[in-house]
Amino acid sequence: MCWYCSSPITDPEPIGRSLRCQDCGKDLRSCKNCRFFLPGTRGDCRESNAEMQADKERGNFCDWFSLNEKLRSAGAETKEKDKADSSRAAFNDLFK
């Protein structure tokens, strides 16, 4: 899911530098969407060979970028949960 708006990322790998979130328009190939992103470490990156990026929210050319799979699946789970909750509410409304 997008680090900014939590929308699911459906684009296939590799994520290109010019790809943006369909909902908010933020760059998808940014440090905040990378599996190596870890605030508090040197350069906020677990990959010691990666170049330091000044802006973690902007698209970059980092060779080590890899989409954090937890973010991809979390967006799908959230959407499914929302769908199930709205269906359950609609069903319960039938019996009021």
Side-chain angles (χ1 to χ4, degrees):
M1 71 184 162
C2 173
W3 66 269
Y4 186 77
C5 71
S6 302
S7 294
I9 297 173
T10 57
D11 297 286
E13 291 273 353
I15 301 292
R17 185 178 183 280
S18 62
L19 284 179
R20 296 184 179 272
C21 176
Q22 296 173 353
D23 293 332
C24 68
K26 297 288 184 180
D27 293 323
L28 292 179
R29 189 185 177 104
S30 67
C31 292
K32 288 197 171 185
N33 278 337
C34 183
R35 72 181 177 121
F36 295 114
F37 181 67
L38 184 63
T41 58
R42 181 188 152 275
D44 294 332
C45 185
R46 288 184 291 155
E47 179 52 59
S48 60
N49 294 324
E51 295 178 27
M52 281 202 217
Q53 304 296 324
D55 191 347
K56 308 297 185 216
E57 299 175 1
R58 303 277 316 262
N60 58 56
F61 292 104
C62 181
D63 291 333
W64 295 97
F65 178 85
S66 178
L67 185 64
N68 187 341
E69 288 301 319
K70 291 179 185 176
L71 296 178
R72 185 184 295 272
S73 62
E77 290 170 8
T78 302
K79 198 169 200 171
E80 287 297 317
K81 184 179 182 310
D82 291 345
K83 185 177 177 182
D85 289 345
S86 65
S87 297
R88 187 175 298 112
F91 178 77
N92 288 335
D93 288 344
L94 291 173
F95 299 99
K96 287 186 179 180

